[in-house]
Amino acid sequence: LLSSLYLSHAVKVSAVEVNTPEEIFVENGTDAKLPCTFTSMEVISSAASVSWSFQPEGAATRISFFYYFNGKPYPGKDIPFKDRITWAGDLNKKDASITISNMQFRDNGTYICDVKNPPDIVVKPGEIRVRVVEK
């Protein structure tokens, strides 16, 4: 009897799975597309959102620098990526990619792509280690 009571109260929650390459190399001064795709069992709704953050090489904290919600990109207005971010994704195609123009050595670090598609929840955001290299 107890097991049937427990099962009747189970809530079905599925996860959004975010996929990114582990590491990419970008030539100094060029544009970099940061690929981020995801899978979700739910229909992509207007409540779906994407946020990108950056953890500079050797830093302990992350900087949020881009948000996409309700069909609109909201690039951060602060350094280090001021006026360099372009939305390159399409949520209907389960693509949450962005492009950063004019990559510099100071852009070395880890980029974190976090996708939310309620009621699905994210288990783990995607992380890309970016290495800016000489030409």
Side-chain angles (χ1 to χ4, degrees), residues 21-49:
E22 274 185 45
E23 187 172 50
I24 63 171
F25 292 87
V26 180
E27 194 176 299
N28 185 38
T30 65
D31 297 353
K33 181 175 181 182
L34 302 185
C36 178
T37 58
F38 63 96
T39 57
S40 174
M41 300 306 288
E42 296 293 323
V43 171
I44 308 303
S45 73
S46 60
S49 67

PDB file of all heavy atoms in Angstrom, residues 21-49:
ATOM      1  N   PRO A  21      31.159  21.782 -27.023  1.00  0.00           N
ATOM      2  CA  PRO A  21      32.480  21.163 -27.109  1.00  0.00           C
ATOM      3  C   PRO A  21      33.249  21.462 -25.822  1.00  0.00           C
ATOM      4  O   PRO A  21      32.983  22.475 -25.164  1.00  0.00           O
ATOM      5  CB  PRO A  21      33.134  21.855 -28.314  1.00  0.00           C
ATOM      6  CG  PRO A  21      32.384  23.129 -28.478  1.00  0.00           C
ATOM      7  CD  PRO A  21      31.000  22.897 -27.945  1.00  0.00           C
ATOM      8  N   GLU A  22      34.196  20.597 -25.449  1.00  0.00           N
ATOM      9  CA  GLU A  22      34.957  20.829 -24.227  1.00  0.00           C
ATOM     10  C   GLU A  22      35.901  22.012 -24.364  1.00  0.00           C
ATOM     11  O   GLU A  22      36.077  22.788 -23.432  1.00  0.00           O
ATOM     12  CB  GLU A  22      35.786  19.587 -23.876  1.00  0.00           C
ATOM     13  CG  GLU A  22      35.014  18.575 -23.077  1.00  0.00           C
ATOM     14  CD  GLU A  22      35.897  17.416 -22.655  1.00  0.00           C
ATOM     15  OE1 GLU A  22      37.036  17.644 -22.199  1.00  0.00           O
ATOM     16  OE2 GLU A  22      35.435  16.276 -22.795  1.00  0.00           O
ATOM     17  N   GLU A  23      36.520  22.128 -25.544  1.00  0.00           N
ATOM     18  CA  GLU A  23      37.528  23.161 -25.746  1.00  0.00           C
ATOM     19  C   GLU A  23      37.537  23.593 -27.202  1.00  0.00           C
ATOM     20  O   GLU A  23      37.361  22.770 -28.096  1.00  0.00           O
ATOM     21  CB  GLU A  23      38.898  22.588 -25.361  1.00  0.00           C
ATOM     22  CG  GLU A  23      40.023  23.586 -25.348  1.00  0.00           C
ATOM     23  CD  GLU A  23      41.296  22.983 -24.761  1.00  0.00           C
ATOM     24  OE1 GLU A  23      41.698  21.888 -25.197  1.00  0.00           O
ATOM     25  OE2 GLU A  23      41.891  23.611 -23.859  1.00  0.00           O
ATOM     26  N   ILE A  24      37.721  24.893 -27.426  1.00  0.00           N
ATOM     27  CA  ILE A  24      37.905  25.377 -28.793  1.00  0.00           C
ATOM     28  C   ILE A  24      39.092  26.341 -28.815  1.00  0.00           C
ATOM     29  O   ILE A  24      39.398  26.988 -27.809  1.00  0.00           O
ATOM     30  CB  ILE A  24      36.644  26.047 -29.399  1.00  0.00           C
ATOM     31  CG1 ILE A  24      36.238  27.293 -28.624  1.00  0.00           C
ATOM     32  CG2 ILE A  24      35.494  25.080 -29.525  1.00  0.00           C
ATOM     33  CD1 ILE A  24      35.138  28.098 -29.307  1.00  0.00           C
ATOM     34  N   PHE A  25      39.756  26.394 -29.966  1.00  0.00           N
ATOM     35  CA  PHE A  25      40.874  27.312 -30.171  1.00  0.00           C
ATOM     36  C   PHE A  25      40.426  28.375 -31.161  1.00  0.00           C
ATOM     37  O   PHE A  25      39.822  28.054 -32.181  1.00  0.00           O
ATOM     38  CB  PHE A  25      42.088  26.550 -30.708  1.00  0.00           C
ATOM     39  CG  PHE A  25      42.661  25.599 -29.697  1.00  0.00           C
ATOM     40  CD1 PHE A  25      42.156  24.303 -29.580  1.00  0.00           C
ATOM     41  CD2 PHE A  25      43.685  25.999 -28.841  1.00  0.00           C
ATOM     42  CE1 PHE A  25      42.663  23.429 -28.635  1.00  0.00           C
ATOM     43  CE2 PHE A  25      44.192  25.117 -27.888  1.00  0.00           C
ATOM     44  CZ  PHE A  25      43.691  23.831 -27.780  1.00  0.00           C
ATOM     45  N   VAL A  26      40.716  29.633 -30.842  1.00  0.00           N
ATOM     46  CA  VAL A  26      40.282  30.762 -31.654  1.00  0.00           C
ATOM     47  C   VAL A  26      41.495  31.628 -31.957  1.00  0.00           C
ATOM     48  O   VAL A  26      42.276  31.933 -31.048  1.00  0.00           O
ATOM     49  CB  VAL A  26      39.234  31.608 -30.891  1.00  0.00           C
ATOM     50  CG1 VAL A  26      38.772  32.782 -31.720  1.00  0.00           C
ATOM     51  CG2 VAL A  26      38.066  30.754 -30.455  1.00  0.00           C
ATOM     52  N   GLU A  27      41.619  32.026 -33.204  1.00  0.00           N
ATOM     53  CA  GLU A  27      42.732  32.892 -33.583  1.00  0.00           C
ATOM     54  C   GLU A  27      42.491  34.306 -33.063  1.00  0.00           C
ATOM     55  O   GLU A  27      41.385  34.842 -33.181  1.00  0.00           O
ATOM     56  CB  GLU A  27      42.847  32.888 -35.108  1.00  0.00           C
ATOM     57  CG  GLU A  27      44.140  33.457 -35.628  1.00  0.00           C
ATOM     58  CD  GLU A  27      44.221  33.330 -37.140  1.00  0.00           C
ATOM     59  OE1 GLU A  27      44.197  32.190 -37.651  1.00  0.00           O
ATOM     60  OE2 GLU A  27      44.288  34.385 -37.799  1.00  0.00           O
ATOM     61  N   ASN A  28      43.525  34.909 -32.484  1.00  0.00           N
ATOM     62  CA  ASN A  28      43.453  36.269 -31.960  1.00  0.00           C
ATOM     63  C   ASN A  28      42.938  37.228 -33.035  1.00  0.00           C
ATOM     64  O   ASN A  28      43.382  37.187 -34.171  1.00  0.00           O
ATOM     65  CB  ASN A  28      44.852  36.694 -31.490  1.00  0.00           C
ATOM     66  CG  ASN A  28      44.851  38.048 -30.825  1.00  0.00           C
ATOM     67  OD1 ASN A  28      43.939  38.398 -30.098  1.00  0.00           O
ATOM     68  ND2 ASN A  28      45.892  38.814 -31.070  1.00  0.00           N
ATOM     69  N   GLY A  29      41.952  38.072 -32.666  1.00  0.00           N
ATOM     70  CA  GLY A  29      41.418  39.063 -33.590  1.00  0.00           C
ATOM     71  C   GLY A  29      40.284  38.573 -34.478  1.00  0.00           C
ATOM     72  O   GLY A  29      39.708  39.360 -35.225  1.00  0.00           O
ATOM     73  N   THR A  30      39.942  37.283 -34.403  1.00  0.00           N
ATOM     74  CA  THR A  30      38.870  36.741 -35.247  1.00  0.00           C
ATOM     75  C   THR A  30      37.582  36.568 -34.440  1.00  0.00           C
ATOM     76  O   THR A  30      37.574  36.727 -33.219  1.00  0.00           O
ATOM     77  CB  THR A  30      39.252  35.378 -35.871  1.00  0.00           C
ATOM     78  OG1 THR A  30      39.396  34.411 -34.823  1.00  0.00           O
ATOM     79  CG2 THR A  30      40.554  35.469 -36.661  1.00  0.00           C
ATOM     80  N   ASP A  31      36.499  36.232 -35.141  1.00  0.00           N
ATOM     81  CA  ASP A  31      35.212  35.988 -34.485  1.00  0.00           C
ATOM     82  C   ASP A  31      35.123  34.516 -34.091  1.00  0.00           C
ATOM     83  O   ASP A  31      35.583  33.648 -34.830  1.00  0.00           O
ATOM     84  CB  ASP A  31      34.059  36.323 -35.429  1.00  0.00           C
ATOM     85  CG  ASP A  31      34.040  37.805 -35.801  1.00  0.00           C
ATOM     86  OD1 ASP A  31      34.835  38.578 -35.227  1.00  0.00           O
ATOM     87  OD2 ASP A  31      33.230  38.175 -36.657  1.00  0.00           O
ATOM     88  N   ALA A  32      34.520  34.257 -32.947  1.00  0.00           N
ATOM     89  CA  ALA A  32      34.372  32.886 -32.464  1.00  0.00           C
ATOM     90  C   ALA A  32      32.908  32.555 -32.260  1.00  0.00           C
ATOM     91  O   ALA A  32      32.205  33.273 -31.548  1.00  0.00           O
ATOM     92  CB  ALA A  32      35.111  32.707 -31.143  1.00  0.00           C
ATOM     93  N   LYS A  33      32.462  31.481 -32.899  1.00  0.00           N
ATOM     94  CA  LYS A  33      31.115  30.987 -32.599  1.00  0.00           C
ATOM     95  C   LYS A  33      31.253  29.981 -31.467  1.00  0.00           C
ATOM     96  O   LYS A  33      32.035  29.034 -31.556  1.00  0.00           O
ATOM     97  CB  LYS A  33      30.479  30.323 -33.822  1.00  0.00           C
ATOM     98  CG  LYS A  33      29.068  29.840 -33.518  1.00  0.00           C
ATOM     99  CD  LYS A  33      28.367  29.295 -34.730  1.00  0.00           C
ATOM    100  CE  LYS A  33      26.955  28.867 -34.362  1.00  0.00           C
ATOM    101  NZ  LYS A  33      26.252  28.286 -35.509  1.00  0.00           N
ATOM    102  N   LEU A  34      30.518  30.227 -30.391  1.00  0.00           N
ATOM    103  CA  LEU A  34      30.526  29.310 -29.258  1.00  0.00           C
ATOM    104  C   LEU A  34      29.289  28.422 -29.385  1.00  0.00           C
ATOM    105  O   LEU A  34      28.169  28.869 -29.124  1.00  0.00           O
ATOM    106  CB  LEU A  34      30.507  30.069 -27.932  1.00  0.00           C
ATOM    107  CG  LEU A  34      31.648  31.061 -27.703  1.00  0.00           C
ATOM    108  CD1 LEU A  34      31.568  31.640 -26.300  1.00  0.00           C
ATOM    109  CD2 LEU A  34      33.001  30.431 -27.932  1.00  0.00           C
ATOM    110  N   PRO A  35      29.491  27.174 -29.841  1.00  0.00           N
ATOM    111  CA  PRO A  35      28.347  26.299 -30.080  1.00  0.00           C
ATOM    112  C   PRO A  35      27.733  25.783 -28.784  1.00  0.00           C
ATOM    113  O   PRO A  35      28.442  25.382 -27.873  1.00  0.00           O
ATOM    114  CB  PRO A  35      28.930  25.135 -30.890  1.00  0.00           C
ATOM    115  CG  PRO A  35      30.398  25.336 -30.952  1.00  0.00           C
ATOM    116  CD  PRO A  35      30.751  26.560 -30.169  1.00  0.00           C
ATOM    117  N   CYS A  36      26.408  25.821 -28.735  1.00  0.00           N
ATOM    118  CA  CYS A  36      25.680  25.285 -27.586  1.00  0.00           C
ATOM    119  C   CYS A  36      24.341  24.761 -28.097  1.00  0.00           C
ATOM    120  O   CYS A  36      23.531  25.528 -28.607  1.00  0.00           O
ATOM    121  CB  CYS A  36      25.462  26.376 -26.540  1.00  0.00           C
ATOM    122  SG  CYS A  36      24.526  25.812 -25.103  1.00  0.00           S
ATOM    123  N   THR A  37      24.144  23.466 -27.997  1.00  0.00           N
ATOM    124  CA  THR A  37      22.863  22.875 -28.389  1.00  0.00           C
ATOM    125  C   THR A  37      22.275  22.178 -27.167  1.00  0.00           C
ATOM    126  O   THR A  37      22.965  21.949 -26.173  1.00  0.00           O
ATOM    127  CB  THR A  37      23.037  21.868 -29.546  1.00  0.00           C
ATOM    128  OG1 THR A  37      23.954  20.842 -29.130  1.00  0.00           O
ATOM    129  CG2 THR A  37      23.556  22.557 -30.808  1.00  0.00           C
ATOM    130  N   PHE A  38      20.992  21.849 -27.255  1.00  0.00           N
ATOM    131  CA  PHE A  38      20.345  21.219 -26.105  1.00  0.00           C
ATOM    132  C   PHE A  38      19.234  20.288 -26.561  1.00  0.00           C
ATOM    133  O   PHE A  38      18.753  20.371 -27.689  1.00  0.00           O
ATOM    134  CB  PHE A  38      19.806  22.276 -25.133  1.00  0.00           C
ATOM    135  CG  PHE A  38      18.734  23.157 -25.708  1.00  0.00           C
ATOM    136  CD1 PHE A  38      17.395  22.867 -25.496  1.00  0.00           C
ATOM    137  CD2 PHE A  38      19.055  24.283 -26.450  1.00  0.00           C
ATOM    138  CE1 PHE A  38      16.394  23.679 -26.021  1.00  0.00           C
ATOM    139  CE2 PHE A  38      18.072  25.108 -26.965  1.00  0.00           C
ATOM    140  CZ  PHE A  38      16.738  24.799 -26.757  1.00  0.00           C
ATOM    141  N   THR A  39      18.855  19.407 -25.660  1.00  0.00           N
ATOM    142  CA  THR A  39      17.702  18.552 -25.884  1.00  0.00           C
ATOM    143  C   THR A  39      16.729  18.794 -24.734  1.00  0.00           C
ATOM    144  O   THR A  39      17.140  19.080 -23.612  1.00  0.00           O
ATOM    145  CB  THR A  39      18.081  17.049 -25.915  1.00  0.00           C
ATOM    146  OG1 THR A  39      18.738  16.719 -24.690  1.00  0.00           O
ATOM    147  CG2 THR A  39      18.992  16.737 -27.077  1.00  0.00           C
ATOM    148  N   SER A  40      15.449  18.721 -25.055  1.00  0.00           N
ATOM    149  CA  SER A  40      14.413  18.918 -24.053  1.00  0.00           C
ATOM    150  C   SER A  40      13.206  18.098 -24.478  1.00  0.00           C
ATOM    151  O   SER A  40      12.877  18.057 -25.661  1.00  0.00           O
ATOM    152  CB  SER A  40      14.042  20.401 -23.960  1.00  0.00           C
ATOM    153  OG  SER A  40      12.953  20.600 -23.090  1.00  0.00           O
ATOM    154  N   MET A  41      12.564  17.458 -23.531  1.00  0.00           N
ATOM    155  CA  MET A  41      11.383  16.656 -23.837  1.00  0.00           C
ATOM    156  C   MET A  41      10.160  17.552 -24.050  1.00  0.00           C
ATOM    157  O   MET A  41       9.189  17.155 -24.667  1.00  0.00           O
ATOM    158  CB  MET A  41      11.090  15.657 -22.715  1.00  0.00           C
ATOM    159  CG  MET A  41      12.221  14.677 -22.461  1.00  0.00           C
ATOM    160  SD  MET A  41      12.750  13.780 -23.930  1.00  0.00           S
ATOM    161  CE  MET A  41      11.368  12.680 -24.146  1.00  0.00           C
ATOM    162  N   GLU A  42      10.213  18.772 -23.536  1.00  0.00           N
ATOM    163  CA  GLU A  42       9.092  19.698 -23.633  1.00  0.00           C
ATOM    164  C   GLU A  42       9.173  20.508 -24.928  1.00  0.00           C
ATOM    165  O   GLU A  42      10.244  20.712 -25.474  1.00  0.00           O
ATOM    166  CB  GLU A  42       9.095  20.669 -22.448  1.00  0.00           C
ATOM    167  CG  GLU A  42       8.876  20.005 -21.102  1.00  0.00           C
ATOM    168  CD  GLU A  42       7.477  19.421 -20.956  1.00  0.00           C
ATOM    169  OE1 GLU A  42       6.515  20.031 -21.459  1.00  0.00           O
ATOM    170  OE2 GLU A  42       7.354  18.361 -20.326  1.00  0.00           O
ATOM    171  N   VAL A  43       8.042  21.004 -25.376  1.00  0.00           N
ATOM    172  CA  VAL A  43       7.988  21.925 -26.505  1.00  0.00           C
ATOM    173  C   VAL A  43       8.729  23.193 -26.082  1.00  0.00           C
ATOM    174  O   VAL A  43       8.625  23.617 -24.935  1.00  0.00           O
ATOM    175  CB  VAL A  43       6.521  22.248 -26.866  1.00  0.00           C
ATOM    176  CG1 VAL A  43       6.438  23.372 -27.889  1.00  0.00           C
ATOM    177  CG2 VAL A  43       5.814  21.006 -27.364  1.00  0.00           C
ATOM    178  N   ILE A  44       9.470  23.786 -27.005  1.00  0.00           N
ATOM    179  CA  ILE A  44      10.182  25.023 -26.687  1.00  0.00           C
ATOM    180  C   ILE A  44       9.144  26.135 -26.556  1.00  0.00           C
ATOM    181  O   ILE A  44       8.456  26.465 -27.512  1.00  0.00           O
ATOM    182  CB  ILE A  44      11.211  25.386 -27.783  1.00  0.00           C
ATOM    183  CG1 ILE A  44      12.136  24.197 -28.087  1.00  0.00           C
ATOM    184  CG2 ILE A  44      12.018  26.614 -27.370  1.00  0.00           C
ATOM    185  CD1 ILE A  44      12.888  23.657 -26.909  1.00  0.00           C
ATOM    186  N   SER A  45       9.028  26.675 -25.360  1.00  0.00           N
ATOM    187  CA  SER A  45       7.981  27.668 -25.098  1.00  0.00           C
ATOM    188  C   SER A  45       8.564  29.076 -25.064  1.00  0.00           C
ATOM    189  O   SER A  45       9.777  29.261 -25.084  1.00  0.00           O
ATOM    190  CB  SER A  45       7.321  27.361 -23.750  1.00  0.00           C
ATOM    191  OG  SER A  45       8.204  27.704 -22.700  1.00  0.00           O
ATOM    192  N   SER A  46       7.683  30.056 -24.960  1.00  0.00           N
ATOM    193  CA  SER A  46       8.137  31.446 -24.864  1.00  0.00           C
ATOM    194  C   SER A  46       8.840  31.685 -23.523  1.00  0.00           C
ATOM    195  O   SER A  46       9.512  32.691 -23.345  1.00  0.00           O
ATOM    196  CB  SER A  46       6.964  32.403 -25.027  1.00  0.00           C
ATOM    197  OG  SER A  46       6.019  32.170 -24.015  1.00  0.00           O
ATOM    198  N   ALA A  47       8.692  30.762 -22.592  1.00  0.00           N
ATOM    199  CA  ALA A  47       9.362  30.889 -21.293  1.00  0.00           C
ATOM    200  C   ALA A  47      10.799  30.372 -21.342  1.00  0.00           C
ATOM    201  O   ALA A  47      11.540  30.507 -20.367  1.00  0.00           O
ATOM    202  CB  ALA A  47       8.577  30.140 -20.223  1.00  0.00           C
ATOM    203  N   ALA A  48      11.195  29.770 -22.461  1.00  0.00           N
ATOM    204  CA  ALA A  48      12.562  29.262 -22.583  1.00  0.00           C
ATOM    205  C   ALA A  48      13.549  30.430 -22.557  1.00  0.00           C
ATOM    206  O   ALA A  48      13.250  31.514 -23.054  1.00  0.00           O
ATOM    207  CB  ALA A  48      12.713  28.469 -23.874  1.00  0.00           C
ATOM    208  N   SER A  49      14.703  30.195 -21.960  1.00  0.00           N
ATOM    209  CA  SER A  49      15.728  31.243 -21.896  1.00  0.00           C
ATOM    210  C   SER A  49      17.119  30.637 -21.950  1.00  0.00           C
ATOM    211  O   SER A  49      17.310  29.461 -21.667  1.00  0.00           O
ATOM    212  CB  SER A  49      15.577  32.065 -20.614  1.00  0.00           C
ATOM    213  OG  SER A  49      15.864  31.259 -19.486  1.00  0.00           O
TER     214      SER A  49
END
